[in-house]
């Protein structure tokens, strides 16, 4: 398996739901995944939230409740070790909102799609804040600051839904790392079906900059042909061996 890094390597890692699967967190598109029984547009889009905020809060409250007692696995920890070895030549960008990379000790991390354990107001400009509350069914949380200012405003999960922009600071940080690395860039995608943009486009951006792309995934995803090296298997097993 020619996933070799050397003292000049800049390593960009992209993770998806597959890296948290061995921690017991359901993925989206595997059998039994989150998109079974839930319509993506109803529960993960701004239109869905506008139409039925209670349904959306039920979906995310259930996912918050399901995170109780869930801990990072050997795959998350292998990436922490890589970060320790490479320092500023390492950057992790995750599509996951489960917070498990930070819980494992990753620090150089971009949460591209936000974080399940944060909420923000749909009206005022208060900063997103930590909110682990799994709201009871039928309860849509309201903003306390707006309430004291005399009007009602719904809170929402601090998450990027379909059709919503990725935070510009996150994209800028990604671009800066890729530009600094140039042809020294190695891109490792782990546990993602490669269907959601702009994350799914990173493999092409890396190629444009002369970098090499590697994939660790339980099965070959649709974009498997765009990777230079592919290792099929469980992240929790393969990642610790990859750069040993
Ligand atoms: C945007 C919410 C632009 C949080 C999510 C081109 C460019 C830009 C946008 C688009 C574009 N084309 C289409 C779009 C629109 C859209 C999109 O990509 N649609 C797709 C479906 C075609 N993109 C967007 O809307 C993005 N916004 O760019 O806006 C814009 C411009 C102007 C004005 C306005 C807007 C926003 C995308 C973010 C959407 N939010 N989630 C949440 O609820 O979690 S995406 C959702 O899918 C999750 O975040 C998830 O992380 C993500 C990707 O899924 P995966 O992580 O890959 O998980 P999946 O289950 O699919 O796959 C798991 C894989 O793991 C499998 O392959 C499996 O085999 C493997 N696996 C399983 N177990 C293991 C394993 N591998 C290893 N080990 C194991 N043990």
């Amino acid at each position: 398996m020619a996933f070799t890094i050397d003292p000049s390597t800049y390593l960009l890692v992209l993770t998806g739901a597959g890296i948290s699967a061995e921690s017991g967190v359901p993925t989206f598109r595997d059998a039994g995944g989150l998109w079974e029984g839930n319509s993506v547009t109803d529960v993960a889009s701004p239109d869905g939230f506008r139409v039925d905020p209670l349904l959306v809060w039920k979906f995310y409250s259930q996912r918050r409740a399901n995170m109780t007692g869930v801990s990072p696995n050997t795959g998350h920890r292998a990436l922490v070790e890589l970060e320790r070895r490479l320092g500023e030549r390492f950057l992790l960008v995750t599509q996951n909102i489960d917070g498990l990379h930070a819980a494992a000790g990753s620090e150089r991390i971009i949460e591209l799609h936000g974080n399940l354990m944060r909420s923000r107001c749909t009206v005022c400009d208060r900063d997103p804040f930590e909110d682990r509350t799994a709201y009871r069914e039928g309860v849509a949380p309201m903003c306390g600051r707006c309430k004291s200012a005399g009007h009602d405003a719904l809170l929402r999960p601090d998450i990027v839904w379909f059709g919503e922009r990725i935070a510009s600071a996150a994209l800028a940080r990604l671009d800066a790392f890729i530009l600094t690395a140039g042809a020294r860039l190695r891109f490792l995608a782990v546990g993602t079906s490669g269907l959601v943009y702009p994350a799914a486009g990173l493999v092409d951006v890396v190629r444009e900059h002369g970098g090499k792309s590697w994939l660790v995934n339980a099965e070959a995803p649709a974009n498997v042909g765009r990777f230079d090296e592919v290792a099929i298997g469980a992240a929790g097993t393969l990642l610790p061996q990859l750069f040993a």
Side-chain angles (χ1 to χ4, degrees):
M1 196 186 309
F3 290 20
T4 47
I5 52 178
D6 62 40
S8 71
T9 302
Y10 277 70
L11 183 62
L12 177 65
V13 180
L14 169 69
T15 60
I19 198 167
S20 296
E22 290 159 89
S23 294
V25 181
T27 63
F28 290 89
R29 297 168 182 87
D30 290 322
L34 284 164
W35 294 150
E36 270 180 25
N38 290 299
S39 144
V40 176
T41 41
D42 288 352
V43 297
S45 81
D47 290 339
F49 187 71
R50 213 181 343 274
V51 168
D52 190 347
L54 291 178
L55 176 66
V56 174
W57 269 113
K58 178 182 172 191
F59 176 65
Y60 286 99
S61 292
Q62 189 55 55
R63 288 173 68 186
R64 284 181 176 173
N66 292 346
M67 286 304 294
T68 307
V70 170
S71 44
N73 62 60
T74 48
H76 296 104
R77 286 194 291 276
L79 296 183
V80 176
E81 191 43 45
L82 265 177
E83 177 177 333
R84 280 204 193 105
R85 276 172 56 191
L86 293 173
E88 64 181 24
R89 292 185 287 116
F90 178 93
L91 184 59
L92 169 61
V93 52
T94 186
Q95 300 172 90
N96 300 341
I97 62 172
D98 58 29
L100 290 178
H101 283 299
S106 289
E107 291 173 1
R108 293 175 58 79
I109 177 170
I110 296 175
E111 292 183 317
L112 207 60
H113 296 164
N115 188 302
L116 179 60
M117 301 305 178
R118 272 201 313 264
S119 296
R120 68 173 195 259
C121 181
T122 54
V123 173
C124 76
D125 60 358
R126 70 190 275 198
D127 289 342
F129 55 95
E130 180 168 341
D131 179 9
R132 295 178 170 276
T133 311
Y135 294 96
R136 278 182 299 102
E137 190 157 352
V139 169
M142 308 301 279
C143 173
R145 189 167 113 173
C146 289
K147 188 165 183 57
S148 53
H151 53 264
D152 284 346
L154 273 170
L155 294 182
R156 60 166 281 177
D158 189 32
I159 280 169
V160 181
W161 283 325
F162 285 98
E164 292 189 316
R165 289 176 185 280
I166 304 289
S168 48
L171 297 175
R173 193 174 169 201
L174 251 183
D175 289 348
F177 186 81
I178 291 169
L179 280 176
T180 305
R184 295 170 297 182
L185 185 59
R186 298 296 175 265
F187 174 62
L188 172 65
V190 183
T192 179
S193 58
L195 294 172
V196 174
Y197 288 81
L202 278 174
V203 63
D204 304 314
V205 172
V206 169
R207 180 179 302 281
E208 282 157 23
H209 286 78
K212 289 264 180 276
S213 291
W214 307 323
L215 175 70
V216 168
N217 212 59
E219 59 193 19
N223 64 347
V224 65
R226 286 152 53 190
F227 290 89
D228 298 294
E229 300 284 344
V230 176
I232 299 296
T237 309
L238 290 179
L239 285 184
Q241 302 163 3
L242 211 50
F243 301 104

